[in-house]
Amino acid sequence: MTTDPARLEMLSALARKVLWLSSWTIHHANHIRPNVDGLKVGGHQASSASLVTIMSALYFSVLRPQDRVAVKPHASPVFHAIQYLFGHQSREKLENFRGFKGAQSYPSRTKDVDDVDFSTGSVGLGVAQTLFASLVQDYVRAHGWAKDRPEGRMIALVGDAEMDEGNIFEALLEGWKHGLRNTWWVVDYNRQSLDAVVREGLWEKFETMFRNFGWDVVIVKYGSLMRKAFAEPGGQALKKWIDECPNQLYSALCFQGGAAFRKHLRDEIGDQGAVTQLIDRRSDDQLLELMSNLGGHDMASMCEAFEAIDHDRPVCFIAYTIKGIGLPFQGHKDNHAGLMTVAQMEKWRAAQNIRAGREWDKFEGLSQDPAALEAFLANAPFNREGRRRLSAPVIEVPERLSFTPSSQMSTQQGFGLLLNEIARGDSELASRIVTASPDVTVSTNLGAWVNRRGLFARAEKADLFRSEKIPSTFNWDASPRGQHIELGIAEMNLFILMSALGLSHAINGERLLPVATLYDPFIERGLDALNYACYQDARFMVAATPSGVTLAPEGGAHQSIATPLIGMAQDGLASFEPAFVDEVAVIMAFGFRHMQREDGEGGSVYLRLSTRSIDQVQRMMTPDLQSAITEGAYWLRKPGPNAEVIIAYTGAVAPEAIEAVGLLGESRRDIGLLAITSADQLHAGWTAARKLRRDRRGVQHLSHIEKLLAPLPRECGIVTVLDGHPATLAWLGSVRGHRAEALGVEHFGQTGTIDDLYRHHGIDANAIIDAAESLTAGAPVRHRKMAV
Ligand SMILES: Cc1ncc(C[n+]2csc(CCOP(=O)(O)OP(=O)(O)O)c2C)c(N)n1
Ligand SMILES: [Mg+2]
């Protein structure tokens, strides 16, 4: 294994190469490629250097094809350099690092070409993603899938300051509840963040915390040179000094060099014979080499630490490192954005025996035989199967989902009924759906689904209330067959779990169709995780309910205002806000198909639902209506040829819009009622059509909304209304140049009845009538809604 000196020598040579290539990539982007906007590459060089040995040990020796890694964002150049050596990354993309379509600043699953497992960049998220990816792997295997593939380890390379992110702690707790396995977190303990040097003794806090959660903790503090020196006479005094040296000082001395170390050691240890001789036997350079030989920079120590793990319990490695190791600014507290000057780089290039013009040559400057190096890379276990992105067949989804209608229902109720209906059957669709909710399973109407499909746990666990025969509406039996993952109240965890479940086809080769439920306002609590899940191209469905001020008496910030705009603006997420349950049925069927599309058109789905029970429309669901619902809108009442005004509504305010149209009918002509099921789809269709017409002159393509609004006379007014921010629909006037008045909610917090709040926020029937009046000429509207 890696105790073999020849193997260690190869690995160390490759690590030197990785340091060179990653540094050269950064240098090239900064000093060589024409840089028109003068932006410097910040935050990569020192951060990257810190992880070179650890990542080289992993990728060139320890990792197997089934393992997956979340790389610390600023170590992206190291990752790309390693992939370049493997032949999975091109010189062209490295030369264009951070440039248009070049290698990405932060590893990106969707934008990089070199097999990034998890996109990172927003610190903390990638770390937790590995934990949930491991739970998902367990879920898949417990359901009898992917048994022909070996279990992989999910590994995160973590910055020590990254550990400040709260979502990591939330995930730790959840991992403990679910019996986490096969997860390694390697903390790059360089004791520096972006601005600062970290607090003394942080590692002890990490150690106790991880052990508390059942993790194994491996501290890799001393490299092999250090360990050898400690065994020399006087070595223990040196070790004591190292252990007691404050982080700031150690960093500063690493920056200053061997002579500074010597002075401090002399001043602080004094003349103690053996240790003095130990120090004096070494030149300044050798002393610096010894003192910077922390565990995380020592190939043998890292390989030994990784290879010693012979169990599947989660492990946290705390690897001591020096930020910027091997570079002129190593250890300097300001080094986060540190870059080498042209002169420094020239000097370093020459010292590495790299000829000018040969900087990109794979093995330039190494003394090893290139053929042997090439063979070593080809044989690296990680590289044996080439690219590791898997795929899975599409699960069939019926054209329409069925439910038992009643005359009055809420969309949230409809969602629960539809899932219950799926759960009753034995379709492939039913078996691939997996639900999760952050402690709001029952209140978001998932109860019926869970009763039928059960909770997921690796080991059987009976619902004690059930076994004790205490009457309860819910069955919370847990088993490996269960299909609902119960989460604590942490919305970040929910979305990171969605991200992991929604990538199962690519990671485990088994497709899952994840469905999350949560209260709509708390989307904002997990928003960055939702954003990253979409960015990774994970596929899932979010049913957010209840929403808006329609949950009236709840008041407070349980009301959501901004979420419709989030739904529109979030890339990779198609958002819908249906009013009627037959629309929910169409949208969910569309959603399960949309989640599986691989043609660049697919993505995740967000349903903004309500608890407001409203009269349902009785109608046939025709194919035309079905496609209009998924494209975002249809006429609930077609406008006449001389329409003076139309009302366009979304979601729970449908009754107000319908009522307003009725009341306006006698005073205004040909009023239309536009049901908008998705402002997001409509708007996206509109921008796409304009782009197409611009790009391909002569193309006549009209978007759905342009077609819908085409028959309206020029002077016709549009009143838009929703229980959410008015800007969501305010753009409708621009589609064909109609005057528009946008109603919606802009302030939160008031409690009251739905009537109170709709009146208060100006989204009730009378407010709609007032707006219609302001857009039209003619006599005042005769009828108003009477106060109740
Ligand atoms: C959520 C988030 N906040 C802030 C940042 C900006 N940022 C990037 S790296 C970093 C700290 C780096 O410290 P550490 O994790 O110790 O990594 P090191 O560079 O020391 O390896 C910060 C604050 C970010 N990328 N993501
Ligand atoms: Mg750090």
Side-chain angles (χ1 to χ4, degrees):
M1 290 296 317
T2 343
T3 39
D4 169 11
R7 188 172 167 78
L8 270 180
E9 191 202 304
M10 281 299 215
L11 287 169
S12 303
L14 287 169
R16 278 202 301 283
K17 200 68 228 175
V18 170
L19 178 62
W20 166 261
L21 282 170
S22 55
S23 307
W24 182 250
T25 301
I26 295 163
H27 188 76
H28 189 276
N30 212 45
H31 290 291
I32 299 176
R33 196 173 75 217
N35 183 349
V36 283
D37 46 21
L39 287 178
K40 296 272 184 216
V41 175
H44 282 93
Q45 183 67 88
S47 279
S48 278
S50 206
L51 267 173
V52 162
T53 306
I54 294 171
M55 285 177 67
S56 300
L58 283 172
Y59 280 93
F60 297 133
S61 184
V62 178
L63 293 182
R64 303 151 307 164
Q66 64 270 30
D67 299 331
R68 295 290 183 279
V69 188
V71 174
K72 182 184 79 170
H74 279 120
S76 146
V78 177
F79 173 78
H80 294 312
I82 289 172
Q83 295 292 355
Y84 176 71
L85 289 176
F86 278 138
H88 304 317
Q89 179 58 282
S90 69
R91 170 174 168 177
E92 186 196 355
K93 289 213 183 266
L94 291 187
E95 283 182 336
N96 199 13
F97 176 60
R98 290 165 61 100
F100 187 61
K101 305 217 165 165
Q104 287 263 322
S105 319
Y106 307 107
S108 170
R109 268 186 69 81
T110 47
K111 301 278 185 269
D112 276 319
V113 294
D114 47 359
D115 221 8
V116 171
D117 294 326
F118 302 117
S119 301
T120 58
S122 181
V123 296
L125 295 181
V127 184
Q129 174 95 22
T130 57
L131 181 150
F132 286 105
S134 181
L135 294 183
V136 171
Q137 175 174 260
D138 280 347
Y139 179 95
V140 165
R141 299 175 76 84
H143 284 78
W145 299 314
K147 282 284 169 71
D148 53 337
R149 299 189 63 250
E151 269 180 9
R153 282 195 190 106
M154 305 298 159
I155 299 172
L157 300 162
V158 192
D160 45 3
E162 185 167 13
M163 288 292 299
D164 286 337
E165 286 289 357
N167 81 273
I168 295 180
F169 299 84
E170 296 175 4
L172 265 181
L173 193 54
E174 208 58 64
W176 168 74
K177 292 185 208 165
H178 290 272
L180 179 70
R181 308 183 305 139
N182 292 316
T183 305
W184 285 6
W185 288 357
V186 187
V187 180
D188 175 6
Y189 197 55
N190 61 24
R191 290 149 290 150
Q192 280 187 257
S193 64
L194 204 155
D195 289 341
V197 175
V198 306
R199 294 283 179 281
E200 297 305 324
L202 184 62
W203 65 273
E204 287 169 306
K205 304 292 166 207
F206 290 163
E207 186 184 16
T208 30
M209 182 181 70
F210 278 97
R211 289 207 195 283
N212 197 17
F213 284 116
W215 289 53
D216 205 357
V217 178
V218 177
I219 297 173
V220 195
K221 181 163 182 181
Y222 316 105
S224 41
L225 278 183
M226 276 190 177
R227 282 182 282 158
K228 264 187 223 129
F230 298 158
E232 290 176 30
Q236 288 308 307
L238 179 71
K239 178 170 182 288
K240 183 164 179 292
W241 183 88
I242 292 175
D243 287 345
E244 288 171 1
C245 182
N247 289 339
Q248 278 242 23
L249 179 61
Y250 208 91
S251 292
L253 294 177
C254 286
F255 172 72
Q256 288 171 304
F261 263 117
R262 189 182 305 280
K263 181 171 181 324
H264 265 268
L265 286 164
R266 272 212 191 115
D267 291 352
E268 282 154 35
I269 302 181
D271 190 0
Q272 287 194 22
V275 65
T276 310
Q277 283 167 26
L278 187 159
I279 297 162
D280 287 349
R281 270 199 299 279
R282 287 159 169 91
S283 67
D284 283 352
D285 284 350
Q286 285 170 330
L287 188 59
L288 180 63
E289 193 189 357
L290 172 65
M291 299 304 273
S292 47
N293 178 241
L294 294 175
H297 301 311
D298 188 69
M299 189 57 82
S301 303
M302 281 323 303
C303 288
E304 273 165 36
F306 290 136
E307 285 167 7
I309 305 300
D310 57 1
H311 56 75
D312 65 3
R313 289 197 314 279
V315 187
C316 172
F317 298 88
I318 300 175
Y320 275 68
T321 55
I322 295 160
K323 194 159 167 173
I325 182 81
L327 305 172
F329 38 71
Q330 69 175 24
H332 197 293
K333 71 180 172 59
D334 304 342
N335 67 11
H336 188 78
L339 290 166
M340 276 191 269
T341 62
V342 174
Q344 283 172 328
M345 195 63 177
E346 273 301 289
K347 198 169 145 212
W348 191 46
R349 180 183 61 72
Q352 304 264 312
N353 287 326
I354 290 171
R355 289 164 292 174
R358 298 292 184 93
E359 293 88 353
W360 293 111
D361 288 9
K362 270 191 176 182
F363 305 126
E364 175 75 5
L366 298 186
S367 56
Q368 287 74 10
D369 170 24
L373 285 163
E374 203 60 84
F376 190 90
L377 287 168
N379 277 322
F382 170 82
N383 201 27
R384 256 182 231 148
E385 293 178 13
R387 286 177 68 85
R388 302 154 316 124
R389 210 165 274 199
L390 309 174
S391 62
V394 169
I395 309 298
E396 203 185 317
V397 181
E399 198 49 38
R400 201 169 300 157
L401 300 176
S402 60
F403 65 102
T404 317
S406 38
S407 56
Q408 272 219 337
M409 292 168 95
S410 72
T411 48
Q412 189 205 80
Q413 213 180 337
F415 164 78
L417 282 175
L418 282 154
L419 270 183
N420 183 40
E421 219 35 62
I422 296 174
R424 275 153 52 102
D426 60 355
S427 60
E428 181 71 354
L429 172 68
S431 72
R432 296 283 170 160
I433 290 177
V434 45
T435 55
S437 185
D439 207 25
V440 290
T441 305
V442 175
S443 47
T444 54
N445 239 306
L446 264 183
W449 161 269
V450 179
N451 277 347
R452 289 190 189 280
R453 293 279 160 170
L455 292 185
F456 171 69
R458 284 216 336 274
E460 307 269 349
K461 201 169 92 222
D463 179 345
L464 274 176
F465 274 73
R466 214 159 103 96
S467 32
E468 292 292 319
K469 302 203 167 35
I470 301 171
S472 157
T473 334
F474 301 105
N475 158 22
W476 296 99
D477 281 340
S479 80
R481 299 170 303 283
Q483 285 180 248
H484 177 69
I485 300 179
E486 199 185 8
L487 291 178
I489 331 169
E491 286 73 14
M492 291 296 268
N493 279 343
L494 176 75
F495 289 122
I496 303 172
L497 174 63
M498 285 300 117
S499 184
L501 289 165
L503 287 174
S504 178
H505 54 287
I507 292 193
N508 302 304
E510 292 292 339
R511 193 180 298 279
L512 297 174
L513 296 169
V515 178
T517 67
L518 80 164
Y519 294 173
D520 195 54
F522 303 124
I523 282 196
E524 287 164 12
R525 180 66 169 259
L527 191 51
D528 200 24
L530 170 62
N531 179 41
Y532 259 71
C534 293
Y535 173 50
Q536 320 235 22
D537 202 24
R539 303 298 179 82
F540 52 92
M541 183 181 286
V542 179
T545 170
S547 59
V549 295
T550 305
L551 49 83
E554 285 282 289
H558 264 48
Q559 299 170 341
S560 58
I561 298 173
T563 47
L565 292 173
I566 291 172
M568 284 182 87
Q570 180 61 55
D571 193 10
L573 189 70
S575 306
F576 294 87
E577 186 166 357
F580 301 109
V581 175
D582 62 353
E583 297 168 357
V584 181
V586 168
I587 292 165
M588 282 175 72
F590 164 85
F592 288 128
R593 282 192 291 274
H594 188 68
M595 283 155 66
Q596 305 190 64
R597 287 179 71 169
E598 308 247 346
D599 53 1
E601 298 283 321
S604 290
V605 181
Y606 161 34
L607 308 182
R608 188 175 190 253
L609 303 182
S610 174
T611 40
R612 186 184 191 194
S613 194
I614 65 169
D615 288 339
Q616 298 294 302
V617 278
Q618 308 301 323
R619 58 186 166 190
M620 284 285 292
M621 184 52 68
T622 63
D624 280 353
L625 180 55
Q626 204 164 316
S627 64
I629 288 169
T630 56
E631 284 185 81
Y634 62 91
W635 288 113
L636 192 57
R637 173 179 154 155
K638 270 209 159 149
N642 299 311
E644 289 177 88
V645 66
I646 65 151
I647 316 298
Y649 77 89
T650 282
V653 296
E656 280 62 36
I658 292 169
E659 189 178 8
V661 167
L663 291 166
L664 279 164
E666 279 188 33
S667 316
R668 294 293 182 275
R669 250 178 307 155
D670 289 356
I671 302 173
L673 182 58
L674 188 63
I676 297 189
T677 46
S678 171
D680 183 28
Q681 292 282 88
L682 271 189
H683 191 272
W686 180 43
T687 36
R690 279 180 295 158
K691 182 168 180 335
L692 188 72
R693 296 197 293 260
R694 255 196 326 270
D695 291 353
R696 293 207 249 135
R697 295 201 180 272
V699 168
Q700 291 299 310
H701 175 72
L702 285 183
S703 64
H704 188 57
I705 189 64
E706 286 168 312
K707 284 187 223 158
L708 285 168
L709 300 185
L712 297 185
R714 191 94 178 87
E715 336 50 69
C716 179
I718 301 179
V719 179
T720 67
V721 59
L722 79 155
D723 177 2
H725 197 276
T728 311
L729 296 176
W731 55 274
L732 278 177
S734 321
V735 175
R736 292 210 161 247
H738 293 105
R739 279 171 312 123
E741 180 93 25
L743 308 180
V745 179
E746 286 173 290
H747 305 288
F748 43 44
Q750 191 54 256
T751 45
T753 63
I754 292 179
D755 272 350
D756 291 335
L757 295 190
Y758 281 12
R759 196 176 333 109
H760 176 69
H761 290 290
I763 54 174
D764 63 348
N766 286 344
I768 298 171
I769 293 168
D770 289 345
E773 204 166 38
S774 79
L775 288 170
T776 49
V781 175
R782 247 174 290 161
H783 300 289
R784 302 266 157 182
K785 184 183 172 183
M786 304 300 276
V788 277

